[in-house]
Amino acid sequence: MSPTVLVLDFGAQYNQLIARRVREAHVFCEVVPGDIGLEDLQAKQPAAIILSGGPSSVFAPDAPSMDPRILDLGVPTLGICYGMQLMAHLLKGGVEPAPQREYGRTTMELSLEPSALFQGIKPESVVWMSHGDHVFRAPPGFAVLAHTPTTPIAAMADARRNLWAVQYHPEVRHTEDGVRMLQNFLLNITRLEPSWQPAQFIPEAIQQIRERVGDGRALIALSGGVDSAVAAALAHEALGPRLSAILIDHGLMRAGEVEEVARAFPTLDLHVVNREEVFFRALQGVTDPEAKRKIIGREFIAAFEHAKDTVGDANVLIQGTVYPDVIESGGKNARTIKSHHNVGGLPEEVGFDIVEPLRWLFKDEVRNVGLALGLPESIVWRQPFPGPGLAVRIVGEVTRGKVEIVRQADAIVRETIAAAGLQRSIWQAFAVLLDIRSVGVMGDERTYGYPVVVRAVQSDDGMTADWVRLDPELLEKMAHRIIGEVANVNRVVYDVTSKPPGTIEWE
């Protein structure tokens, strides 16, 4: 499947949202490095290009840049935030540190009659700004399309050369007409056909797996989550009996997880490898979240190396890596949020050829692929569960005792949510164990127990999330059960942090 839109990555954590909004317009896209070579870019035959934002200043010595000849190809191009500043900088416009930095919601006013980019947009609208520099002089041939009280050029364009740029972030929900603006660029300016559907991805993914595996055998890293389940279904369709599914029981699974996975995949050649003792020994005394993730990634690979000898000669490891895993693990210009055990947490020498057929799909697209493959809804609609398991829900050192506490509390949270009929309307709901103790009183006696944090969020794709306004009576029921049924817990609190600024998981 040839990409239709290329998003040039200059390091913004919003890059995934740009790609997500393009997909929502039913247009396929691919994220590529901002410094992609001209020939490599032309080989992809893009119908449109989007220059992403980024954390740098165009004046910085190591600022990300691009081949300026790309702007002369005649391909419709949209610069966003840093992408606009870079476009202006390369085309002899003027960029400078803004006298007043602009962050958050801002009222933007159109400077001219609505152009093609702002078709259907009212003269004043709210946009989301996040910049320290700004364009103070448009490049030759560009018209100023919009401004804000502190930003003289909030949007600009050279329609003749099909170059468009905005200083704000149309991809975030806070820009009230941002989706319409992006669709104007994609459908009206670029005139793309809105024909992309996730199910179209299946034949190419199956072919990719077959080509990478050849006549050999492959292992699938199966955890029971929707990502690995869909990857397993694709791999099984591609390879049949030449696929072996490996489930690593690292002692960090949710209650009943191993048994549930085994029941859900009766036709796969499934091998459950118990490495609980190895994982707990490796994690002993480790408190840093990144160190824990990297240790778990290392031990996962070691476990697969061990399993390789028991299932026959397999040189390919198939993983359910999805786009949020990739983007959060950082890249050449991006800032790492957290290493995922199947991306940034892997050692350089893994002993396998890694195949990631879902690497550029978002979670909801993965679910649609799973349904198209015939997976049961009970698997497709399972709440996301991180590969490192309950370790990322324990702040501080991971011990058997702490794992059992958070496992029991997590089961209560999920049972309560399910009983209330909310499991399909909540992206994730779980429990977190903090590395502190607090004083309490139970049965007229002083206690010194752990606090448990209950976390419930709603999200479309896992890249942004808002906390769920659970009914106080439901929270009370949840807290009552956790304190009454889970030993060494005497306090329950509810997390009301969105993403950003927080992440969904705590570690």
Side-chain angles (χ1 to χ4, degrees), residues 54-290:
S56 300
S57 168
V58 293
F59 307 112
D62 58 348
S65 192
M66 61 181 288
D67 190 325
R69 293 176 295 173
I70 292 173
L71 300 175
D72 294 326
L73 295 177
V75 177
T77 301
L78 174 66
I80 294 176
C81 196
Y82 180 85
M84 170 171 162
Q85 296 165 13
L86 181 60
M87 182 184 291
H89 183 66
L90 294 175
L91 297 177
K92 310 306 180 185
V95 184
E96 66 181 3
Q100 182 176 338
R101 295 183 178 185
E102 202 169 23
Y103 296 100
R105 290 181 175 88
T106 304
T107 299
M108 180 184 73
E109 183 177 348
L110 299 185
S111 303
L112 300 174
E113 290 296 321
S115 66
L117 186 63
F118 295 114
Q119 183 178 341
I121 307 300
K122 53 186 179 290
E124 288 191 1
S125 61
V126 174
V127 298
W128 185 263
M129 291 286 193
S130 181
H131 64 99
D133 296 344
H134 71 185
V135 178
F136 70 91
R137 185 182 65 251
F142 277 72
V144 177
L145 304 182
H147 62 274
T148 75
T150 58
T151 299
I153 305 178
M156 64 182 192
D158 183 341
R160 183 182 60 83
R161 298 171 65 188
N162 238 335
L163 300 177
W164 308 79
V166 296
Q167 181 58 71
Y168 54 89
H169 289 276
E171 70 274 20
V172 303
R173 297 295 188 189
H174 308 299
T175 297
E176 59 183 11
D177 292 317
V179 171
R180 178 66 182 270
M181 296 170 193
L182 285 172
Q183 289 179 349
N184 281 342
F185 173 72
L186 296 168
L187 307 182
N188 297 339
I189 294 173
T190 307
R191 301 192 181 281
L192 293 169
E193 289 294 328
S195 58
W196 156 250
Q197 297 293 338
Q200 296 173 322
F201 158 86
I202 294 174
E204 181 175 308
I206 290 174
Q207 182 62 26
Q208 176 199 13
I209 293 170
R210 287 173 176 164
E211 289 177 355
R212 293 287 294 276
V213 176
D215 296 329
R217 296 181 55 82
L219 305 181
I220 174 73
L222 185 60
S223 68
V226 62
D227 301 335
S228 67
V230 173
L234 282 169
H236 193 248
E237 183 77 18
L239 304 175
R242 292 188 293 123
L243 175 72
S244 293
I246 307 296
L247 189 150
I248 305 300
D249 183 4
H250 48 24
L252 303 170
M253 306 287 272
R254 292 176 290 192
E257 192 97 40
V258 175
E259 296 78 11
E260 186 176 357
V261 171
R263 289 194 302 269
F265 296 94
T267 62
L268 283 177
D269 177 31
L270 177 62
H271 299 255
V272 178
V273 180
N274 191 310
R275 302 280 285 187
E276 182 176 336
E277 185 65 35
V278 174
F279 275 81
F280 277 108
R281 186 167 60 247
L283 290 167
Q284 186 174 355
V286 180
T287 60
D288 179 73
E290 275 294 288

Side-chain angles (χ1 to χ4, degrees), residues 22-66:
V22 174
R23 302 273 185 91
E24 286 176 351
H26 300 292
V27 174
F28 188 74
C29 68
E30 179 184 348
V31 179
V32 297
D35 60 357
I36 184 173
L38 178 64
E39 292 183 359
D40 290 338
L41 181 138
Q42 288 179 301
K44 293 179 178 292
Q45 299 181 324
I49 298 170
I50 297 178
L51 312 180
S52 84
S56 300
S57 168
V58 293
F59 307 112
D62 58 348
S65 192
M66 61 181 288

Side-chain angles (χ1 to χ4, degrees), residues 429-479:
F430 54 89
V432 176
L433 184 66
L434 299 185
D435 193 27
I436 59 173
R437 295 198 182 193
S438 63
V439 175
V441 57
M442 299 173 69
D444 295 328
E445 293 186 1
R446 179 185 184 274
T447 63
Y448 194 54
Y450 290 103
V452 162
V453 178
V454 173
R455 178 87 159 132
V457 298
Q458 178 52 44
S459 177
D460 294 324
D461 48 37
M463 297 314 306
T464 61
D466 193 15
W467 62 279
V468 178
R469 278 67 172 169
L470 289 177
D471 187 279
E473 292 187 4
L474 187 68
L475 285 172
E476 182 182 16
K477 182 185 299 184
M478 206 179 285

